[in-house]
Amino acid sequence: MLDLRERYPELDIEVDGGIGPSTIQGAADAGSNVIVAGSAVFNAKDPGSVIQLLREKVEGAQATGQFTYVEGSC
């Protein structure tokens, strides 16, 4: 994913499956800007707060433009 983000900075890169509050940072830091998080949202006690957290992590990583690969994160 990191290689794609570096070569195509305007490309939408989606991560689908296994994304939630504990895994979003790695996906965002590697350059993903489209997140599919069904279980993490629908099984949450407060789905709105989970959506907000996911959005903030992705937007924060996109704002810095400094993407990194974290071993085992995605």
Side-chain angles (χ1 to χ4, degrees):
M1 189 170 9
L2 181 58
D3 184 51
L4 282 173
R5 177 57 60 215
E6 289 174 350
R7 293 187 335 173
Y8 306 102
E10 300 304 317
L11 184 70
D12 283 334
I13 299 175
E14 178 180 318
V15 175
D16 185 349
I19 297 297
S22 66
T23 57
I24 185 61
Q25 192 67 61
D29 286 348
S32 178
N33 65 326
V34 179
I35 303 297
V36 179
S39 299
V41 173
F42 291 110
N43 293 335
K45 290 183 180 181
D46 184 359
S49 68
V50 172
I51 291 169
Q52 184 63 33
L53 171 75
L54 299 176
R55 181 175 287 141
E56 288 172 358
K57 296 295 183 180
V58 170
E59 289 174 352
Q62 293 292 308
T64 67
Q66 300 297 313
F67 303 107
T68 59
Y69 174 73
V70 177
E71 185 69 35
S73 65
C74 44

